Amino acid sequence: MSDTTRRCVCPGSYDPVTMGHLDVFTRASALWDEVVIAVLHNPDKQGTFAIEERLELLRRATADLPNVRVRAFARTLLVEVCRQVGADVILKGLRSDTDFAYELPMALMNRELTGVETVFLPGNPRLGHLSSSLIREVASLGGDVTGMVPDAVHDALRERVTPRGAS
Ligand code: PNS
């Protein structure tokens, strides 16, 4: 029997997941039958959160979205991820024209490789300043990231990231 499920892949590092990511997942879950969040990582590079922690935080953040799945892939082309999970669309949120300039060559390359299409969702402008790297920096310097990340991430950052100057 053929699989008629319409699936999209939301790829990223998610170190850690932010409310901007969650906004995209929530909207995607209403547009596709199934949304696969693909955590792409290089095992040689240490992130702030280990891959298992990123997966757990993503699963907790998306627990109320029944058609969202979370998977990890190491050293894999994104088009291969799409092939493995049976998705014909890559979904990306766009915060700005800078994001678009960065994303467009990758979208064109991925389409040339296998024909997979990339769909862009305009991000919520109220969340447009959020990025995993800024969240990590603010948290590491003792700033309050309440409301910028899911609650589980907020708690994990408090435990994980010791503010500089604190012993
Ligand atoms: O959250 P990030 O770090 O912006 O995510 C970047 C990611 C993982 C989406 C990007 O690096 C990626 O697509 N990696 C897969 C490697 C690949 O397929 N490259 C060639 C096609 S452009």
Side-chain angles (χ1 to χ4, degrees), residues 5-9 28 32-36 67-69 85:
T5 306
R6 300 304 309 266
R7 251 179 229 101
C8 71
V9 167
W32 275 270
D33 297 331
E34 195 168 281
V35 177
V36 179
N67 60 339
V68 171
R69 289 194 292 134
V85 305

Side-chain angles (χ1 to χ4, degrees), residues 6-167:
R6 300 304 309 266
R7 251 179 229 101
C8 71
V9 167
C10 296
S13 314
Y14 303 115
D15 188 26
V17 57
T18 71
M19 292 307 272
H21 296 133
L22 192 55
D23 171 56
V24 172
F25 303 152
T26 304
R27 290 158 61 200
S29 75
L31 292 169
W32 275 270
D33 297 331
E34 195 168 281
V35 177
V36 179
I37 301 173
V39 184
L40 276 69
H41 67 113
N42 178 348
D44 298 333
K45 282 196 189 161
Q46 176 95 24
T48 295
F49 290 98
I51 194 66
E52 285 306 328
E53 292 173 299
R54 290 184 224 175
L55 295 175
E56 178 59 21
L57 292 171
L58 279 160
R59 289 194 178 109
R60 288 169 69 180
T62 57
D64 61 346
L65 300 173
N67 60 339
V68 171
R69 289 194 292 134
V70 182
R71 291 185 54 180
F73 297 86
R75 292 196 195 92
T76 315
L77 275 176
L78 181 52
V79 292
E80 175 60 16
V81 171
C82 294
R83 196 193 60 74
Q84 284 185 29
V85 305
D88 56 2
V89 169
I90 296 163
L91 180 69
K92 295 276 185 96
L94 287 185
R95 290 167 298 189
S96 64
D97 54 355
T98 310
D99 274 358
F100 180 68
Y102 175 71
E103 294 291 346
L104 183 60
M106 294 197 284
L108 295 172
M109 174 61 82
N110 287 326
R111 192 170 63 176
E112 181 164 344
L113 288 172
T114 63
V116 69
E117 295 284 7
T118 299
V119 169
F120 296 117
L121 268 190
N124 179 339
R126 285 192 293 276
L127 306 173
H129 57 299
L130 300 184
S131 66
S132 299
S133 58
L134 259 190
I135 294 289
R136 291 196 304 268
E137 179 174 326
V138 170
S140 74
L141 294 169
D144 183 5
V145 295
T146 303
M148 302 180 197
V149 290
D151 289 346
V153 174
H154 184 270
D155 295 347
L157 277 168
R158 206 164 36 197
E159 283 175 25
R160 171 58 46 90
V161 186
T162 307
R164 285 172 203 162
S167 55

